[in-house]
Amino acid sequence: LISSYLAGIADVDAIALSLSNLTESGNITQTAAAKGILLAGMANTGLKAALVTTLGSPALRRYLIPAFLALMALILILALMI
């Protein structure tokens, strides 16, 4: 799961494809793959939120930071439900 988080910082698609291939081959469970994909999505969203916070205008931050926080909370809830 740590590798999913780290890979998700750069690209979610690659880790999603990799985890689905590992699931098909029987190397990991579907639950582990789902959690890995969700963590990768969370890492990617976190990076984008950090970019908006540091590089974005105050008006952009005002609109996007609450949306990013809500999305990250939803991803966390989904990961805990699996």
Side-chain angles (χ1 to χ4, degrees):
L1 293 176
I2 293 170
S3 61
S4 294
Y5 186 83
L6 294 174
I9 290 172
D11 184 22
V12 177
D13 296 335
I15 194 66
L17 290 172
S18 178
L19 290 174
S20 67
N21 287 336
L22 288 171
T23 301
E24 277 187 36
S25 65
N27 291 325
I28 63 171
T29 64
Q30 289 179 347
T31 301
K35 286 183 180 182
I37 293 168
L38 286 171
L39 284 174
M42 180 180 263
N44 195 270
T45 301
L47 173 67
K48 291 175 183 173
L51 289 172
V52 166
T53 301
T54 57
L55 302 174
S57 68
L60 181 64
R61 286 193 297 261
R62 185 172 43 253
Y63 289 107
L64 288 184
I65 295 300
F68 279 131
L69 292 174
L71 181 58
M72 289 181 70
L74 178 62
I75 292 170
L76 183 61
I77 290 168
L78 290 172
L80 293 174
M81 290 177 61
I82 296 176

